[in-house]
Amino acid sequence: QGQLVESGGGSVQAGGSLRLSCAASAYVFSPYCMAWFRQAPGKEREAVAVRGGSPLYAEYYADSVKGRFTFSQDNDAKNTMYLQMNNLKPEDTAMYYCAAQPTLCGSRDGREYTYWGQGTQVTVSS
């Protein structure tokens, strides 16, 4: 059974950067059908960055992170994905999760994803 493990979270000041990693235990997931979600206390889970199914399809980014967050893949370790987060803001504070194997590739609905990581906390102070 596949497994996702996130790392890279932490505490930073506003304007800082973090890079989250998501490593799959086995290369059973399409790297082009993965996504990053986040959930802040008292708020619903939201899709932050979603891949649409192939390198030809544009990636989706939530408006709140567009231009600041970037989804990338390790070219050597195909089973490792990253979320580069720049110019972080206090409102980015949340638990971040990577997810894989959606019912429909490119879905922004977390309920359609089969595999989830354990989450990594990101805290941004002003």
Side-chain angles (χ1 to χ4, degrees):
Q1 186 173 359
Q3 182 179 3
L4 302 175
V5 178
E6 298 118 340
S7 61
S11 297
V12 296
Q13 290 191 327
S17 298
L18 286 172
R19 188 177 76 162
L20 306 184
S21 299
C22 175
S25 60
Y27 190 43
V28 296
F29 309 120
S30 167
Y32 300 109
C33 289
M34 296 183 72
W36 287 94
F37 289 81
R38 69 184 180 186
Q39 187 165 22
K43 294 188 177 181
E44 292 187 355
R45 180 175 58 195
E46 66 170 334
V48 174
V50 180
R51 281 192 149 177
S54 87
L56 299 178
Y57 296 140
E59 295 166 340
Y60 162 83
Y61 293 95
D63 288 342
S64 59
V65 307
K66 201 171 294 182
R68 301 187 297 119
F69 289 13
T70 304
F71 204 147
S72 64
Q73 176 183 345
D74 191 312
N75 289 325
D76 294 323
K78 299 293 185 182
N79 62 334
T80 301
M81 313 297 297
Y82 302 102
L83 183 68
Q84 178 67 43
M85 306 186 297
N86 297 326
N87 191 22
L88 284 161
K89 303 176 180 182
E91 50 264 41
D92 294 320
T93 295
M95 186 72 80
Y96 285 72
Y97 301 89
C98 63
Q101 199 169 319
T103 305
L104 177 64
C105 193
S107 173
R108 303 171 195 175
D109 187 343
R111 294 170 297 181
E112 297 193 13
Y113 286 78
T114 302
Y115 295 103
W116 290 84
Q118 82 284 2
T120 185
Q121 178 68 38
V122 172
T123 302
V124 184
S125 59
S126 58

